């Protein structure tokens, strides 16, 4: 348990260091400076929410569908071909969230 906690803390420290380095980095790109208003900030927040909510929903769906599919396949192995497409459909929710975020950022 202590090893897992140490790995978790190390991963958190690395992510914090990368985040701080990214926030402190300066860019002289004209496109970044042009979108440096409240509209640009809201656009990126909306895109992040689109991806985040879609991935949380997709993860919840895959968790429930995957558990049900494993239970069904344990009783009848022939159901694996019928259960796998439903898991793929649930994962597609995340892709739709990414596409919505991409359209938000592009426009």
């Amino acid at each position: 348990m202590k090893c897992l906690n140490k790995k978790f803390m190390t991963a958190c420290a690395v992510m914090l260091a990368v985040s701080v380095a990214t926030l402190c980095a300066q860019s002289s790109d004209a496109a970044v400076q042009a979108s440096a208003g409240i509209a640009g900030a809201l656009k990126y927040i909306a895109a992040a929410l689109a991806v985040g909510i879609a991935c949380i929903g997709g993860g919840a769906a895959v968790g429930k569908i995957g558990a049900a599919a494993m239970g069904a396949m344990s009783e009848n192995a022939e159901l694996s071909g019928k259960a796998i497409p439903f898991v793929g459909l649930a994962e597609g929710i995340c892709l739709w969230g990414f596409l919505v975020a991409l359209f938000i950022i592009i426009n």
Side-chain angles (χ1 to χ4, degrees), residues 11-105:
C12 287
V14 168
M15 286 190 288
L16 180 65
V18 170
S19 299
V20 169
T22 304
L23 288 174
C24 294
Q26 294 183 2
S27 176
S28 62
D29 197 18
V32 173
Q33 292 175 353
S35 67
I38 188 73
L42 289 177
K43 179 169 62 170
Y44 292 118
I45 291 172
L49 285 174
V51 173
I53 293 171
C55 287
I56 289 171
V62 167
K64 291 185 184 220
I65 292 171
M70 290 296 119
M73 286 190 298
S74 68
E75 293 179 9
N76 186 1
E78 295 175 1
L79 293 175
S80 64
K82 295 178 182 176
I84 299 297
F86 290 109
V87 176
L89 287 172
E91 289 178 4
I93 295 170
C94 299
L95 293 175
W96 283 108
F98 173 73
L99 285 175
V100 167
L102 190 66
F103 289 144
I104 289 171
I105 291 173

